[in-house]
Amino acid sequence: MTDPTDPTAEAAMVLLREHGPMHTDEWARRLVAEGHGYLADMEELAEYIGHPRLGYLADGRSAALDALLAGRVLTHRLTEAEISSGILDAHPDLTPLLPFDDHDPATGGLRTLFRDLDDDVFDERGVDDPDWPTDAALLLEPDALIEFRPGDLVALAFVDGELRLTAAAAPPAAAPDLTDALADLVPQDRPEPLDGIIWQLMADDRALFAAPTTPLGDLITAAGYVCDGDDIAVRGFDFAAHRGKAHAATVTAAHHLTDDETDAVMAFTALIGVLERTPDDERERAVDAVVTSARDRFAGLARPNAARAAFGEAYATCRAGTETLLMASAVLRDRGPRRIAPTAHWLAGKAAELDGRTADAERHYERAVSVDPNWDVALEALARFASDRGDAVRAIGLLDRVEGGSHDPMYDLLQSFLPVDRPDLGRNDRCWCGSGRKYKACHLGKAEHPLEQRAGWLYQKAGSFAQGIEWRPLLISLAQIRSAHDDDPFALYHALDDPLVADVVLFECGAFERFVAERGDLLPADELLLAQQWLLAERSVHEVEAVRPGEGLTLRDVRTGDRLEVTERTASKQLRAGDFFCARVVPAGSTMQIFGGIEPIDPGQRGRLIELLDSDATDPEDLVEFLSARFAPPQLVTPDGHPMVACRAVFEVADTAGIRGKLSRRFGAADADRWTWTEHGSVLGVLNLVREVEPWVLEVEAMNEPRFESLVDTVAAADPGARLREQTRTPATELMAQAQENVRPTQPVDPEDPEIAAALDEHIRGYEQQWLDEAIPALGDHTPRECAADPTRRDDLIRLLDSFPQQERPGAMSVSRLREALGL
């Protein structure tokens, strides 16, 4: 169970509160369609911030960036390094035009790089300066700038919904003076986000940056301002001091610290920095200076909450590894106030644990408790050691000394493993177990539970280990994938506790192997042996062959063919024979059990999942993404396997005679200026030439994006002077939902249009016919027709059809038609 007060969980919740559900592109389009232009009240859009198609303005509103940036042009003066590498330093000249994700068609194929994230790319391009570029960069083809010279201007423009990079026209337009406008927007005492300021200037002046002019960085400098990272401020502003205060505020909020506690954490972080950066022969003198100036500030670390925050900050800071943390804890122990001695010992224990030195860590925790018997965080750590050893009595005793310790996730589990006294036996009676020894020397005060009962305890021990700080980035990353299809604003928080996420961190990410290596010596001998067996157990796909409700299951491992009798009380009440699921089945004493959740699998998914499980190249992220796809909205596809999307474009055409001839040669004779693209009897797209008052327009429609792109390219080639006036792309699932809800779509497509309905039905029927003769992984790569004709495979086919939605729905395959075609 994830602790809501845990700093990482807290940080995850902050992200959720800041970013909210991601639906802003649809929201922005609706605002534009309803006449709000590209501006909306901030309050109205609070839950949509952070999406790349929506941006903050300096006055508190948000902008639909597609509309705001349309027609804007920013320039940049090239350097020798940029020309030779094919990488543009985009900051600050071009960054206001780079709010789009790399995979967004609006990028026009341009890729945004960041020095710390994409170092390999810079190395490959021969960039040897680790400080260049300082912020965002644009990756071009290696020789894209070879024709330019240092000092030449290039222009980045957002035209027809796409970024385009070209040589700047000479001479550039007169340079605008931004002095007065920036004075109104940038305060004297703090920085502002650069993008928001420039977007505000664009919103206030539609003519600003409508043509190539002086680079933005030069305009900012000339106006008396400077840029640092993502921010802009008045010349001479102390960015470092400001960021230090901002970071301190973040630490305070994330860990719920008082001012003196925050001050202590910042002093400790400064000590870490000095230890990391100072050469060995100068380190003692540098540490003396820190201790002299900050000794009294360290006193705030005496409280557990501040100690946790100090460790979290140190872990994020220490590039040199745990050696720096050990040195810092020694400084606190030897030269800090006496009251922080428990903190110093505890920090040394955390450093030892990170290094895998479990025995050393336990000694440090014991020292912390010897100095302060009520030092909470050390008591919690020692309780984990006792639990790992199987000593539930000591573990509960330690947690009972911690304020709120009874709420610890392992407390209730430990209760079930406490020894039960035998009041019918005296201390000196022979023990009930038959050992011949006296009860007081054998089982008095001791518990002896069979291994099948302790297996869950072993799994919880490993799960607690995998909650350690070094595993949390993986945990959050997988939880983000797991919750990607959930609109609940708390979905990420809930996913941190998801059984699949935790189990993948344990096994596919390697936390369980580390647990066995580092804490195996603490485990009872039979639990260590069991843990080593679990390391050999693979996640697999299982078919339920028989169910004993409330007791267990008979399973067939689809990958190996092995049959397993599994003890499983909860799932056995829900599963039925013929179901498939993905899980890790492990030995547990005399039984087989399932830990880490049960993931239901459609028969059609089995083949692809088995490929993923068999491949050494499968990443943990790939596995979680595949198993989480069942939470995604259903997707309709065309017979060629592409998502079904109603695409429509309108071109203004000049050469109507020429385009008529070229389209007729490509698609056949027109029917009243209407061309139909057909292949193998299927309609793939329609083009319709219509005479408006002025000029002629060509309407282009297709039901998936690859076909649509092909038609658009065809039109462009047939009439190079054609101008794209508008285009829309609406997923078929959205059309169907709109039709069912009887809601007028926000895009100009009528879901009840008989033509669209007929197209959907035609595509679905075509796909059904194609599916009958496709090799289906769920059928062992046999076709449905082959399985229908083969008595040994017919049951698999029937189970597959039974797993499909049985209700007839528009836009979905008809199971009754499939059964009729297969003679079932």
Side-chain angles (χ1 to χ4, degrees):
M1 183 73 178
T2 302
D3 181 2
T5 64
D6 176 83
T8 302
E10 183 78 9
M13 294 309 298
V14 168
L15 289 175
L16 285 170
R17 288 194 295 269
E18 288 181 351
H19 293 286
M22 295 296 152
H23 297 310
T24 47
D25 49 352
E26 294 301 325
W27 185 262
R29 280 202 294 269
R30 190 173 300 126
L31 289 170
V32 174
E34 294 177 358
H36 294 282
Y38 50 79
L39 299 177
D41 290 338
M42 190 60 228
E43 181 179 355
E44 201 174 16
L45 295 174
E47 68 176 326
Y48 297 105
I49 63 175
H51 191 282
R53 287 298 181 99
L54 211 66
Y56 279 124
L57 299 186
D59 65 4
R61 293 179 293 172
S62 287
L65 294 177
D66 307 63
L68 176 64
L69 300 180
R72 310 290 181 158
V73 184
L74 294 176
T75 63
H76 175 73
R77 203 173 302 281
L78 293 174
T79 65
E80 179 61 44
E82 292 171 323
I83 294 171
S84 61
S85 65
I87 297 175
L88 281 181
D89 184 358
H91 179 76
D93 295 338
L94 306 177
T95 53
L97 286 181
L98 301 179
F100 306 106
D101 182 88
D102 286 343
H103 303 293
D104 194 314
T107 63
L110 298 175
R111 176 182 164 193
T112 304
L113 303 175
F114 293 91
R115 178 79 239 195
D116 292 339
L117 301 179
D118 304 280
D119 287 352
D120 290 345
V121 176
F122 295 101
D123 293 340
E124 292 167 2
R125 295 292 182 90
V127 178
D128 54 11
D129 182 353
D131 297 322
W132 185 88
T134 58
D135 200 73
L138 280 178
L139 181 68
L140 313 176
E141 293 298 326
D143 58 353
L145 303 173
I146 200 68
E147 301 298 326
F148 292 91
R149 294 179 297 176
D152 286 350
L153 280 181
V154 290
L156 185 68
F158 192 63
V159 181
D160 293 334
E162 182 179 291
L163 288 174
R164 298 177 186 174
L165 184 69
T166 61
D177 185 353
L178 304 182
T179 305
D180 292 340
L182 291 177
D184 292 337
L185 297 174
V186 182
Q188 296 290 310
D189 59 347
R190 68 175 188 273
E192 288 288 325
L194 172 64
D195 285 350
I197 293 294
I198 302 306
W199 292 337
Q200 181 72 59
L201 296 179
M202 292 178 178
D204 293 340
D205 183 356
R206 292 307 301 264
L208 185 63
F209 303 122
T213 185
T214 303
L216 179 60
D218 294 347
L219 297 176
I220 290 171
T221 301
Y225 294 82
V226 292
C227 295
D228 187 284
D230 296 331
D231 295 328
I232 181 173
V234 295
R235 184 181 292 125
F237 184 80
D238 190 342
F239 282 99
H242 175 80
R243 288 190 173 129
K245 291 178 182 178
H247 179 62
T250 300
V251 171
T252 301
H255 300 279
H256 309 289
L257 304 180
T258 62
D259 289 345
D260 65 320
E261 289 171 344
T262 301
D263 195 35
V265 172
M266 294 297 101
F268 182 69
T269 304
L271 174 61
I272 290 285
V274 167
L275 290 170
E276 283 184 338
R277 295 189 298 268
T278 308
D280 293 348
D281 58 346
E282 301 176 14
R283 184 172 294 147
E284 186 172 352
R285 183 171 55 202
V287 170
D288 285 342
V290 172
V291 172
T292 300
S293 64
R295 186 180 188 279
D296 292 339
R297 295 170 61 198
F298 288 142
L301 295 176
R303 292 181 281 277
N305 215 30
R308 292 189 187 96
F311 172 64
E313 291 300 304
Y315 181 81
T317 302
C318 285
R319 298 184 182 89
T322 54
E323 181 182 352
T324 304
L325 182 56
L326 280 171
M327 289 191 292
S329 64
V331 171
L332 295 183
R333 182 193 64 214
D334 299 336
R335 306 177 64 176
R338 290 178 58 84
R339 59 187 296 198
I340 67 169
T343 300
H345 289 302
W346 178 77
L347 288 170
K350 297 298 288 184
E353 275 202 85
L354 289 174
D355 272 347
R357 295 181 288 107
T358 305
D360 288 346
E362 188 172 23
R363 281 194 291 271
H364 285 298
Y365 298 142
E366 293 284 9
R367 288 170 186 160
V369 173
S370 69
V371 176
D372 182 353
N374 297 313
W375 181 241
D376 283 1
V377 287
L379 290 170
E380 292 167 351
L382 290 172
R384 287 194 294 111
F385 279 84
S387 175
D388 286 353
R389 289 192 172 95
D391 190 345
V393 174
R394 173 169 164 76
I396 286 182
L398 290 164
L399 289 176
D400 282 339
R401 292 161 59 184
V402 176
E403 184 178 356
S406 61
H407 299 298
D408 189 283
M410 65 179 172
Y411 192 89
D412 289 340
L413 181 65
L414 290 168
Q415 292 281 353
S416 63
F417 291 99
L418 289 173
V420 178
D421 290 337
R422 293 284 299 270
D424 57 320
L425 292 178
R427 291 171 55 83
N428 293 315
D429 290 342
R430 297 297 178 188
C431 187
W432 58 265
C433 71
S435 66
R437 302 170 67 198
K438 293 181 179 180
Y439 179 44
K440 67 180 181 182
C442 191
H443 271 94
L444 179 61
K446 299 177 183 177
E448 188 165 296
H449 299 277
L451 189 57
E452 50 263 31
Q453 292 182 19
R454 286 182 284 127
W457 189 3
L458 172 62
Y459 191 82
Q460 189 275 341
K461 297 172 188 180
S464 178
F465 177 83
Q467 290 285 330
I469 196 168
E470 65 268 44
W471 301 103
R472 289 176 189 170
L474 279 171
L475 183 68
I476 291 176
S477 175
L478 295 178
Q480 288 174 325
I481 296 172
R482 185 66 166 171
S483 59
H485 305 299
D486 193 339
D487 289 336
D488 185 343
F490 295 97
L492 176 57
Y493 176 75
H494 296 314
L496 293 171
D497 281 335
D498 187 90
L500 175 68
V501 170
D503 198 66
V504 170
V505 170
L506 276 172
F507 289 93
E508 278 78 6
C509 294
F512 193 83
E513 185 175 9
R514 278 270 304 278
F515 167 74
V516 174
E518 295 178 11
R519 301 183 76 92
D521 290 344
L522 301 176
L523 299 174
D526 57 349
E527 289 187 24
L528 175 58
L529 180 60
L530 181 61
Q532 291 167 338
Q533 291 177 294
W534 286 4
L535 286 172
L536 303 176
E538 295 184 343
R539 194 180 306 276
S540 193
V541 179
H542 302 274
E543 179 185 6
V544 179
E545 292 193 332
V547 178
R548 300 177 297 283
E551 297 181 7
L553 308 162
T554 301
L555 304 178
R556 179 177 67 90
D557 188 327
V558 176
R559 296 171 70 196
T560 66
D562 295 340
R563 280 175 168 75
L564 307 170
E565 297 295 332
V566 177
T567 300
E568 176 55 58
R569 292 179 175 82
T570 302
S572 62
K573 298 176 183 178
Q574 302 166 351
L575 294 169
R576 62 180 183 177
D579 286 345
F580 291 86
F581 64 81
C582 179
R584 188 184 305 277
V585 180
V586 296
S590 60
T591 67
M592 300 294 290
Q593 296 183 28
I594 298 174
F595 298 104
I598 291 175
E599 293 292 305
I601 299 297
D602 288 334
Q605 295 179 304
R606 285 179 298 172
R608 175 59 183 147
L609 178 56
I610 289 172
E611 290 177 5
L612 286 173
L613 296 174
D614 285 344
S615 173
D616 293 335
T618 299
D619 293 326
E621 293 83 358
D622 296 334
L623 181 61
V624 173
E625 183 176 12
F626 182 89
L627 292 173
S628 303
R630 62 190 174 95
F631 300 119
Q635 188 179 62
L636 300 175
V637 296
T638 53
D640 51 3
H642 294 288
M644 192 176 292
V645 180
C647 303
R648 181 175 183 271
V650 178
F651 289 88
E652 292 181 3
V653 296
D655 183 9
T656 55
I659 202 169
R660 281 190 178 97
K662 292 176 181 177
L663 293 181
S664 294
R665 285 193 291 272
R666 171 66 178 83
F667 300 113
D671 180 7
D673 278 344
R674 180 183 180 87
W675 292 264
T676 304
W677 177 17
T678 60
E679 289 184 6
H680 307 295
S682 295
V683 176
L684 305 185
V686 175
L687 304 95
N688 191 31
L689 189 61
V690 179
R691 176 65 182 268
E692 295 186 347
V693 176
E694 188 68 32
W696 284 79
V697 298
L698 181 67
E699 299 170 345
V700 178
E701 296 181 356
M703 286 305 295
N704 71 35
E705 292 184 287
R707 295 178 192 163
F708 180 65
E709 297 291 353
S710 177
L711 287 176
V712 169
D713 291 344
T714 299
V715 173
D719 184 0
R723 187 179 74 84
L724 179 61
R725 177 195 292 177
E726 63 180 79
Q727 64 169 303
T728 58
R729 305 181 189 216
T730 308
T733 50
E734 182 179 321
L735 289 178
M736 302 312 300
Q738 291 168 348
Q740 292 169 1
E741 296 171 9
N742 196 28
V743 175
R744 184 176 182 271
T746 60
Q747 301 205 26
V749 179
D750 182 1
E752 298 183 357
D753 187 326
E755 191 170 316
I756 291 179
L760 283 170
D761 184 64
E762 178 183 351
H763 286 299
I764 288 299
R765 288 177 180 270
Y767 180 72
E768 289 174 358
Q769 292 302 312
Q770 179 179 327
W771 183 84
L772 295 173
D773 296 299
E774 283 185 349
I776 307 298
L779 300 176
D781 286 332
H782 295 282
T783 71
R785 289 193 200 277
E786 290 171 343
C787 292
D790 185 345
T792 66
R793 298 192 175 95
R794 191 175 296 128
D795 287 345
D796 281 345
L797 174 60
I798 292 172
R799 278 196 293 269
L800 177 60
L801 292 174
D802 287 343
S803 72
F804 291 172
Q806 302 299 302
Q807 184 178 359
E808 299 288 329
R809 296 178 301 163
M813 287 201 303
S814 166
V815 174
S816 62
R817 285 199 300 262
L818 293 174
R819 286 197 174 101
E820 181 180 356
L822 293 167
L824 298 176

